[in-house]
Amino acid sequence: MSLLLLTHRACLGHSNGEGHPESPDRLRAVLAALEAEDFAGLIRDEAPQATEAQLARVHPPAYVSALLAIRPGPGEPLMLDGDTGMSEGSAEAALRAAGAGIAAVDAVCSGDVTRAFCAVRPPGHHAEPRRPMGFCLFSNVAVAARHAQAAHGVARVAVVDFDVHHGNGTQAAFEADASLFLASSHQSPCYPGTGDDSETGVGNIFNATLPPGADGAAFRAVWAERLLPELEAFAPGLIIVSAGFDAHARDPLAQLRVREADYDWLTRQICGIADRHCAGRVVSMLEGGYDLEALAASTAVHVRALMLG
Ligand SMILES: [Zn+2]
């Protein structure tokens, strides 16, 4: 199975400030893990910058231009809300993160590769069309989904989000359009407080909440019994994964007890559905994950499953 790894050093240049959990060290840990011999077969490329027109498929042009006009100098970042910052390198990092998704979609939809993983930051799934939020500036997966539709004629695009936090930004971008699909498992109560099971969009949004302390068996159960059957029924032309690894037992920001083997299992299930409906095409994008050791190990398991699954 050919797998493309997209990243860019500019994604290390974005800072939310000293001591912030969403740090450049996260991406360093992921990239170091993907240097192991197991990953010698990865096809590696640099992420391009998304264009303003590509971002405008999700975000109003005034939002894009206003965000990119924020150009802090060196030093401490400018905080856009209580936990989302922009530093000197953030604009390019955000454009590369969204651009990675665009390039990944181009690669899998043209048949150059079957799957792609985007090792990028800032993450994207909390960014709503009109506001940055929760460490996120642009909605990377929603921009990638819209690109698949607009540039490649993919009729139905599904996003699968197993980050421990609800993908409120993806839901906001998708909830009125039945050609898009979101399945999300997340801890509740937890940030950002949305994602109740009753939030269903136009019948295209599927939220599954897990209580603090839920383990890998509970995590697998909501996917096996509720979310994956809906994904299968949607018959996607492309699957995009919001791959956050902060449901891991070691993660400091939430209280679930998911382990590497659970991420391996879920990734293989997703690949199986992709094989049945869309020639195996999966684009996965890094979201959260704040324990560096757990993040590196979980990402390695996920990427290996994308290569083999
Ligand atoms: Zn998260």
Side-chain angles (χ1 to χ4, degrees):
M1 189 68 65
S2 56
L3 181 71
L4 173 65
L5 171 65
L6 285 157
T7 188
H8 198 281
R9 63 189 172 282
C11 292
L12 298 168
H14 159 65
S15 171
N16 291 289
E18 194 67 32
H20 193 290
E22 205 294 278
S23 71
D25 285 344
R26 298 180 57 246
L27 182 54
R28 287 191 189 98
V30 164
L31 293 175
L34 297 180
E35 286 300 320
E37 199 172 329
D38 296 20
F39 302 107
L42 288 176
I43 302 161
R44 295 166 190 258
D45 206 354
E46 292 201 327
Q49 298 191 46
T51 67
E52 294 193 30
Q54 289 164 341
L55 296 167
R57 295 184 182 126
V58 172
H59 301 282
Y63 172 85
V64 175
S65 54
L67 196 77
L68 295 176
I70 300 171
R71 293 282 176 161
E76 278 303 293
L78 179 75
M79 297 310 287
L80 306 181
D81 64 19
D83 47 29
T84 313
M86 280 190 80
S87 66
E88 190 175 22
S90 296
E92 184 179 352
L95 291 172
R96 299 278 181 193
I102 298 275
V105 165
D106 286 341
V108 302
C109 289
S110 65
D112 289 349
V113 296
T114 308
R115 312 205 218 274
F117 181 71
C118 302
V120 292
R121 57 183 289 278
H125 75 153
H126 294 307
E128 296 188 345
R130 296 171 190 277
R131 73 166 166 167
M133 194 177 148
F135 318 161
C136 302
L137 300 175
F138 294 125
S139 183
N140 301 328
V141 294
V143 168
R146 286 298 189 194
H147 181 71
Q149 292 187 314
H152 298 281
V154 180
R156 292 181 311 284
V157 182
V159 168
V160 170
D161 185 333
F162 55 75
D163 187 282
V164 81
H165 303 102
H166 177 235
N168 61 290
T170 313
Q171 179 169 305
F174 284 17
E175 63 191 353
D177 185 342
S179 72
L180 298 166
F181 168 105
L182 171 64
S184 175
S185 65
H186 40 272
Q187 178 179 315
S188 178
C190 197
Y191 181 90
T194 51
D196 190 81
D197 297 13
S198 65
E199 297 169 24
T200 56
V202 289
N204 63 330
I205 306 290
F206 299 89
N207 287 310
T209 55
L210 291 160
D215 63 6
F219 176 81
R220 293 191 197 202
V222 297
W223 283 100
E225 293 163 19
R226 294 172 53 194
L227 299 177
L228 291 172
E230 298 292 353
L231 176 64
E232 187 99 49
F234 181 70
L238 172 68
I239 299 175
I240 302 176
V241 182
S242 266
F245 299 99
D246 40 12
H248 194 283
R250 289 177 55 100
D251 197 273
L253 297 196
Q255 292 80 42
L256 296 193
R257 295 190 288 132
V258 171
R259 297 285 182 181
E260 286 82 348
D262 304 308
Y263 292 125
D264 176 62
W265 174 84
L266 180 54
T267 306
R268 289 171 190 268
Q269 300 300 312
I270 293 166
C271 290
I273 293 175
D275 288 344
R276 289 193 284 281
H277 292 283
C278 46
R281 297 187 298 195
V282 178
V283 167
S284 178
M285 303 193 73
L286 183 65
E287 299 278 4
Y290 304 97
D291 178 88
L292 297 184
E293 193 178 306
L295 171 64
S298 300
T299 304
V301 159
H302 173 65
V303 171
R304 197 174 293 120
L306 287 173
M307 293 172 80
L308 303 175

